[in-house]
mmCIF file of all heavy atoms in Angstrom:
data_model
loop_
_atom_site.group_PDB
_atom_site.id
_atom_site.type_symbol
_atom_site.label_atom_id
_atom_site.label_comp_id
_atom_site.label_asym_id
_atom_site.label_seq_id
_atom_site.Cartn_x
_atom_site.Cartn_y
_atom_site.Cartn_z
ATOM 1 N N PHE A 1455 -9.032 38.256 -4.891
ATOM 2 C CA PHE A 1455 -8.499 37.906 -3.593
ATOM 3 C C PHE A 1455 -9.262 36.786 -2.954
ATOM 4 O O PHE A 1455 -10.431 36.871 -2.745
ATOM 5 C CB PHE A 1455 -8.454 39.175 -2.713
ATOM 6 C CG PHE A 1455 -7.454 40.093 -3.068
ATOM 7 C CD1 PHE A 1455 -7.616 40.992 -4.165
ATOM 8 C CD2 PHE A 1455 -6.169 40.095 -2.468
ATOM 9 C CE1 PHE A 1455 -6.651 41.906 -4.539
ATOM 10 C CE2 PHE A 1455 -5.174 41.006 -2.910
ATOM 11 C CZ PHE A 1455 -5.438 41.802 -3.884
ATOM 12 N N LEU A 1456 -8.620 35.654 -2.579
ATOM 13 C CA LEU A 1456 -9.339 34.479 -2.035
ATOM 14 C C LEU A 1456 -8.826 34.162 -0.695
ATOM 15 O O LEU A 1456 -7.717 34.376 -0.379
ATOM 16 C CB LEU A 1456 -9.064 33.261 -3.005
ATOM 17 C CG LEU A 1456 -9.538 33.331 -4.431
ATOM 18 C CD1 LEU A 1456 -9.009 32.134 -5.148
ATOM 19 C CD2 LEU A 1456 -11.054 33.550 -4.568
ATOM 20 N N PRO A 1457 -9.806 33.759 0.148
ATOM 21 C CA PRO A 1457 -9.345 33.363 1.499
ATOM 22 C C PRO A 1457 -8.343 32.217 1.489
ATOM 23 O O PRO A 1457 -8.527 31.179 0.681
ATOM 24 C CB PRO A 1457 -10.635 32.955 2.187
ATOM 25 C CG PRO A 1457 -11.662 32.925 1.157
ATOM 26 C CD PRO A 1457 -11.225 33.564 -0.084
ATOM 27 N N ALA A 1458 -7.284 32.382 2.258
ATOM 28 C CA ALA A 1458 -6.223 31.345 2.299
ATOM 29 C C ALA A 1458 -6.672 30.041 2.755
ATOM 30 O O ALA A 1458 -6.081 28.993 2.437
ATOM 31 C CB ALA A 1458 -5.012 31.851 3.061
ATOM 32 N N LYS A 1459 -7.672 30.044 3.553
ATOM 33 C CA LYS A 1459 -8.268 28.741 4.121
ATOM 34 C C LYS A 1459 -8.867 27.844 3.081
ATOM 35 O O LYS A 1459 -9.052 26.705 3.331
ATOM 36 C CB LYS A 1459 -9.144 29.050 5.259
ATOM 37 C CG LYS A 1459 -9.490 27.873 6.140
ATOM 38 C CD LYS A 1459 -9.880 28.280 7.482
ATOM 39 C CE LYS A 1459 -9.989 27.017 8.265
ATOM 40 N NZ LYS A 1459 -9.989 27.100 9.686
ATOM 41 N N GLY A 1460 -9.267 28.487 1.959
ATOM 42 C CA GLY A 1460 -9.846 27.742 0.906
ATOM 43 C C GLY A 1460 -11.334 27.365 1.228
ATOM 44 O O GLY A 1460 -11.832 27.594 2.280
ATOM 45 N N LEU A 1461 -12.029 27.011 0.174
ATOM 46 C CA LEU A 1461 -13.475 26.686 0.343
ATOM 47 C C LEU A 1461 -13.597 25.185 0.199
ATOM 48 O O LEU A 1461 -12.781 24.625 -0.462
ATOM 49 C CB LEU A 1461 -14.276 27.464 -0.784
ATOM 50 C CG LEU A 1461 -14.338 28.905 -0.600
ATOM 51 C CD1 LEU A 1461 -15.012 29.535 -1.799
ATOM 52 C CD2 LEU A 1461 -15.043 29.304 0.642
ATOM 53 N N PRO A 1462 -14.603 24.590 0.923
ATOM 54 C CA PRO A 1462 -14.718 23.192 0.730
ATOM 55 C C PRO A 1462 -15.054 22.765 -0.719
ATOM 56 O O PRO A 1462 -15.855 23.420 -1.369
ATOM 57 C CB PRO A 1462 -15.900 22.808 1.664
ATOM 58 C CG PRO A 1462 -16.584 24.107 1.868
ATOM 59 C CD PRO A 1462 -15.599 25.162 1.755
ATOM 60 N N PRO A 1463 -14.332 21.795 -1.282
ATOM 61 C CA PRO A 1463 -14.562 21.437 -2.605
ATOM 62 C C PRO A 1463 -15.888 20.690 -2.763
ATOM 63 O O PRO A 1463 -16.340 20.229 -1.740
ATOM 64 C CB PRO A 1463 -13.377 20.544 -2.917
ATOM 65 C CG PRO A 1463 -12.960 20.016 -1.628
ATOM 66 C CD PRO A 1463 -13.282 20.978 -0.648
ATOM 67 N N GLY A 1464 -16.445 20.729 -3.900
ATOM 68 C CA GLY A 1464 -17.605 19.947 -4.099
ATOM 69 C C GLY A 1464 -17.250 18.450 -4.131
ATOM 70 O O GLY A 1464 -16.172 18.064 -3.850
ATOM 71 N N LEU A 1465 -18.220 17.571 -4.581
ATOM 72 C CA LEU A 1465 -17.972 16.248 -4.701
ATOM 73 C C LEU A 1465 -16.832 16.008 -5.740
ATOM 74 O O LEU A 1465 -16.960 16.516 -6.769
ATOM 75 C CB LEU A 1465 -19.238 15.466 -5.166
ATOM 76 C CG LEU A 1465 -19.961 14.834 -4.078
ATOM 77 C CD1 LEU A 1465 -21.079 13.959 -4.649
ATOM 78 C CD2 LEU A 1465 -19.053 13.947 -3.108
ATOM 79 N N ARG A 1466 -15.820 15.322 -5.264
ATOM 80 C CA ARG A 1466 -14.659 15.136 -6.297
ATOM 81 C C ARG A 1466 -14.774 13.849 -7.026
ATOM 82 O O ARG A 1466 -15.443 12.910 -6.668
ATOM 83 C CB ARG A 1466 -13.491 15.230 -5.468
ATOM 84 C CG ARG A 1466 -12.962 16.655 -5.378
ATOM 85 C CD ARG A 1466 -11.894 16.862 -4.329
ATOM 86 N NE ARG A 1466 -12.406 16.407 -3.029
ATOM 87 C CZ ARG A 1466 -11.657 16.433 -1.848
ATOM 88 N NH1 ARG A 1466 -10.375 16.746 -2.053
ATOM 89 N NH2 ARG A 1466 -12.036 16.085 -0.851
ATOM 90 N N ILE A 1467 -14.088 13.818 -8.189
ATOM 91 C CA ILE A 1467 -14.008 12.556 -8.905
ATOM 92 C C ILE A 1467 -12.655 11.965 -8.617
ATOM 93 O O ILE A 1467 -11.664 12.654 -8.354
ATOM 94 C CB ILE A 1467 -14.315 12.755 -10.350
ATOM 95 C CG1 ILE A 1467 -13.421 13.916 -10.946
ATOM 96 C CG2 ILE A 1467 -15.748 13.107 -10.617
ATOM 97 C CD1 ILE A 1467 -13.547 14.017 -12.425
ATOM 98 N N PRO A 1468 -12.534 10.634 -8.675
ATOM 99 C CA PRO A 1468 -11.266 9.990 -8.318
ATOM 100 C C PRO A 1468 -10.172 10.413 -9.232
ATOM 101 O O PRO A 1468 -10.386 10.825 -10.403
ATOM 102 C CB PRO A 1468 -11.561 8.494 -8.519
ATOM 103 C CG PRO A 1468 -12.969 8.376 -8.625
ATOM 104 C CD PRO A 1468 -13.594 9.676 -9.050
ATOM 105 N N PRO A 1469 -8.908 10.331 -8.755
ATOM 106 C CA PRO A 1469 -7.720 10.679 -9.604
ATOM 107 C C PRO A 1469 -7.852 9.869 -10.905
ATOM 108 O O PRO A 1469 -8.289 8.668 -10.896
ATOM 109 C CB PRO A 1469 -6.584 10.220 -8.826
ATOM 110 C CG PRO A 1469 -7.016 10.234 -7.422
ATOM 111 C CD PRO A 1469 -8.502 9.883 -7.480
ATOM 112 N N ASN A 1470 -7.412 10.407 -12.001
ATOM 113 C CA ASN A 1470 -7.325 9.777 -13.253
ATOM 114 C C ASN A 1470 -6.234 10.276 -14.143
ATOM 115 O O ASN A 1470 -5.869 11.442 -13.998
ATOM 116 C CB ASN A 1470 -8.735 10.029 -13.924
ATOM 117 C CG ASN A 1470 -9.031 11.430 -14.063
ATOM 118 O OD1 ASN A 1470 -8.407 12.131 -14.856
ATOM 119 N ND2 ASN A 1470 -9.932 12.006 -13.312
ATOM 120 N N GLY A 1471 -5.818 9.485 -15.118
ATOM 121 C CA GLY A 1471 -4.741 9.903 -16.090
ATOM 122 C C GLY A 1471 -3.398 9.756 -15.493
ATOM 123 O O GLY A 1471 -3.026 10.482 -14.505
ATOM 124 N N ALA A 1472 -2.530 8.969 -16.141
ATOM 125 C CA ALA A 1472 -1.154 8.809 -15.576
ATOM 126 C C ALA A 1472 -0.338 9.995 -15.857
ATOM 127 O O ALA A 1472 -0.443 10.677 -16.909
ATOM 128 C CB ALA A 1472 -0.557 7.590 -16.296
ATOM 129 N N ILE A 1473 0.580 10.293 -14.954
ATOM 130 C CA ILE A 1473 1.522 11.431 -15.120
ATOM 131 C C ILE A 1473 2.852 10.785 -15.499
ATOM 132 O O ILE A 1473 3.223 9.790 -14.949
ATOM 133 C CB ILE A 1473 1.743 12.170 -13.862
ATOM 134 C CG1 ILE A 1473 0.363 12.823 -13.390
ATOM 135 C CG2 ILE A 1473 2.891 13.197 -13.884
ATOM 136 C CD1 ILE A 1473 0.419 13.535 -11.998
ATOM 137 N N GLU A 1474 3.520 11.344 -16.453
ATOM 138 C CA GLU A 1474 4.914 10.802 -16.802
ATOM 139 C C GLU A 1474 5.892 11.789 -16.178
ATOM 140 O O GLU A 1474 5.874 12.973 -16.505
ATOM 141 C CB GLU A 1474 4.960 10.793 -18.351
ATOM 142 C CG GLU A 1474 6.064 9.897 -18.789
ATOM 143 C CD GLU A 1474 6.102 9.675 -20.321
ATOM 144 O OE1 GLU A 1474 5.147 9.157 -20.943
ATOM 145 O OE2 GLU A 1474 7.074 10.150 -20.956
ATOM 146 N N THR A 1475 6.719 11.228 -15.476
ATOM 147 C CA THR A 1475 7.926 12.012 -14.832
ATOM 148 C C THR A 1475 9.189 11.775 -15.571
ATOM 149 O O THR A 1475 10.230 12.362 -15.241
ATOM 150 C CB THR A 1475 8.037 11.750 -13.411
ATOM 151 O OG1 THR A 1475 8.251 10.337 -13.210
ATOM 152 C CG2 THR A 1475 6.740 12.021 -12.565
ATOM 153 N N GLY A 1476 9.211 10.684 -16.432
ATOM 154 C CA GLY A 1476 10.496 10.334 -16.988
ATOM 155 C C GLY A 1476 11.388 9.485 -16.128
ATOM 156 O O GLY A 1476 12.507 9.200 -16.405
#
Side-chain angles (χ1 to χ4, degrees):
Chain A
F1455 285 83
L1456 300 175
K1459 193 151 184 167
L1461 292 173
L1465 262 188
R1466 274 166 296 179
I1467 51 174
N1470 54 71
I1473 296 172
E1474 197 175 296
T1475 58

